[in-house]
Amino acid sequence: MKTAVYPGSFDPITNGHLDIINRASKVFDHLIVGVLINPEKQGLFNIEERVKLIQKVVKDIPNVKVESFSGLLIDFMKKNDIQVIVKGLRAVSDFEYEFQMSLMNKKLDSDKETVFMMTSAMNSYLSSSSVKQVAMFGGCIKGLVPEEIRFDIINKINRVYKKC
Ligand code: PNS
């Protein structure tokens, strides 16, 4: 049985992330979406909110679980018997950072493999930050995030930035 982790900040999950989750769930027996608890980076959504948003969109994929983790990804993998890291690559600009991170993880534990999936062309420009920026300035985020959480994101942004 092969278990993979798809790690990230997911602040919030976008259609680009969901595409990778859907595809990776068909390749691996189990997929854990690992949401990083990063005390140095205060996001828009807190960890519980991010986990809940992801759970809402993956609820019909039986082999996908969502969990938060802190510290080293490799340690989270060891504790949960996870063998593979799945990452999405959008463009050449992602490559250098991802390559460096995969080598560091390999150095920390040579038994773990990182597998890259090319993001689907229609999502290649998408990022959580750009989605937040569009929503913050009142732009339409339809088609950029899973439809069932679109209004959770808009409402949160309105509460935080527009104080209503
Ligand atoms: O969505 P992001 O912010 O690009 O995700 C980055 C993430 C969570 C994959 C990465 O920061 C991570 O794995 N952090 C855990 C700390 C760690 O294991 N660092 C060692 C590898 S450099």
Side-chain angles (χ1 to χ4, degrees):
M1 290 288 237
K2 276 265 181 279
T3 303
V5 61
Y6 177 43
S9 302
F10 304 106
D11 184 40
I13 184 170
T14 68
N15 276 346
H17 296 129
L18 184 57
D19 170 54
I20 299 290
I21 292 172
N22 272 317
R23 288 159 54 200
S25 72
K26 293 178 189 143
V27 174
F28 299 99
D29 300 300
H30 298 287
L31 180 72
I32 297 176
V33 181
V35 185
L36 177 69
I37 302 169
N38 186 352
E40 285 166 15
K41 210 165 127 190
Q42 165 108 61
L44 171 65
F45 292 93
N46 66 38
I47 291 300
E48 290 73 28
E49 290 170 330
R50 291 180 209 186
V51 167
K52 276 198 188 126
L53 290 178
I54 304 169
Q55 279 169 338
K56 201 164 165 180
V57 301
V58 303
K59 67 177 186 332
D60 295 328
I61 318 176
N63 61 337
V64 175
K65 261 194 342 184
V66 188
E67 281 181 29
S68 58
F69 74 99
S70 55
L72 288 177
L73 176 61
I74 288 294
D75 290 339
F76 174 72
M77 294 175 74
K78 281 181 192 157
K79 262 183 235 143
N80 292 280
D81 195 23
I82 300 169
Q83 300 84 35
V84 179
I85 303 165
V86 174
K87 299 299 297 280
L89 271 188
R90 285 170 300 192
V92 180
S93 52
D94 281 345
F95 179 78
E96 208 170 323
Y97 172 67
E98 294 295 347
F99 185 50
Q100 198 181 10
M101 212 157 28
S102 72
L103 290 178
M104 180 58 83
N105 285 325
K106 199 73 182 160
K107 170 85 183 141
L108 293 170
D109 186 339
S110 59
D111 286 340
K112 310 294 183 199
E113 286 298 338
T114 303
V115 168
F116 291 101
M117 283 189 167
M118 302 312 295
T119 300
S120 303
M122 64 184 199
N123 295 320
S124 61
Y125 63 96
L126 264 183
S127 70
S128 297
S129 326
S130 62
V131 164
K132 283 184 283 195
Q133 200 168 90
V134 170
M136 197 171 22
F137 292 113
C140 178
I141 58 167
K142 196 173 168 77
L144 307 184
V145 296
E147 191 54 24
E148 58 270 54
I149 62 162
R150 181 159 62 103
F151 285 100
D152 295 314
I153 296 169
I154 293 169
N155 292 339
K156 175 78 176 184
I157 283 179
N158 284 341
R159 276 200 304 278
V160 171
Y161 294 103
K162 299 180 182 159
K163 309 245 184 306
C164 60

